Amino acid sequence: MDEKRTVRVSRFLSMVLRHRPEAVGIVLDEAGWVDVDELIAACATRGRRFSRAELDHVVATNNKKRFAYSPDGRRIRASQGHSVEVRLGLAAAVPPDVLFHGTAAASVGAIMREGLKPMSRQDVHLSADAETAVRVGARHGRPVVLAVDAAALAAAGHEFRVSANGVWLTDAVPPERLRRISG
């Protein structure tokens, strides 16, 4: 599978498994899972054909580990980033003292006034390291990295969870727990 096709299939799967399962006529269960064979068949009927081997390749090589198979390999879901209602069943976790959020420079003013909000997603996404946050922010323009005082938030009762691909999730981050560190 060439890189161009891998990216196309990955982007399409992100759209379907995170935002619009109805676009191919599937229904995710409450935890975001769908049967792999059902997904492949539904996509094929909508003109988006890929094989199980190609799906395996996308799951295995996605640098952000956006997708995960169930332990038996018969179901698949997006690891996080859903705009559709799902309960990933992630246990609460104690975060590192500092987490990071990458954003575009154009968004920093509003974020510093209002804090981080999930926007169209279910959770605020945070990175364990600044380098990852730079890459995330660069997707939207000139990147800015914000440090999040996760220790203070956890002490104040904010719940944190970590997804299968290492993204830290929380409900919101108030502006007083943010500090601009680059960009």
Side-chain angles (χ1 to χ4, degrees):
M1 187 171 188
D2 69 32
E3 184 62 23
K4 204 174 200 178
R5 177 150 171 82
T6 301
V7 169
R8 272 196 320 269
V9 172
S10 178
R11 286 185 178 161
F12 181 72
L13 289 172
S14 287
M15 184 271 296
V16 169
L17 296 175
R18 295 167 72 186
H19 309 295
R20 295 191 51 233
E22 73 280 359
V24 296
I26 62 169
V27 176
L28 305 178
D29 74 9
E30 68 278 350
W33 296 106
V34 65
D35 180 85
V36 170
D37 293 335
E38 180 185 338
L39 173 69
I40 292 170
C43 290
T45 63
R46 303 304 196 282
R48 295 292 193 133
R49 296 185 190 287
F50 53 86
S51 67
R52 173 64 191 247
E54 289 174 311
L55 182 61
D56 290 345
H57 177 78
V58 168
V59 172
T61 62
N62 185 272
N63 63 342
K64 296 176 185 163
K65 303 294 180 202
R66 289 187 193 271
F67 315 106
Y69 284 128
S70 60
D72 64 6
R74 294 184 359 203
R75 296 178 301 151
I76 187 171
R77 73 177 179 184
S79 296
Q80 94 290 318
H82 299 82
S83 59
V84 296
E85 183 71 31
V86 297
R87 285 180 244 103
L88 295 175
L90 302 173
V94 176
D97 288 348
V98 177
L99 289 167
F100 302 91
H101 182 77
T103 191
S107 302
V108 173
I111 291 171
M112 296 308 284
R113 281 189 310 276
E114 301 170 23
L116 291 170
K117 301 174 184 177
M119 307 305 283
S120 64
R121 295 182 177 174
Q122 292 187 312
D123 297 289
V124 170
H125 293 194
L126 304 170
S127 304
D129 59 84
E131 296 78 26
T132 301
V134 167
R135 286 193 303 275
V136 170
R139 294 184 322 203
H140 308 289
R142 189 171 57 87
V144 172
V145 176
L146 305 173
V148 174
D149 188 349
L153 288 170
H158 281 256
E159 182 178 282
F160 287 85
R161 297 165 320 283
V162 62
S163 69
N165 60 348
V167 175
W168 284 87
L169 308 170
T170 194
D171 60 342
V173 177
E176 63 271 13
R177 298 295 178 218
L178 296 169
R179 180 174 45 90
R180 184 176 179 156
I181 63 168
S182 74

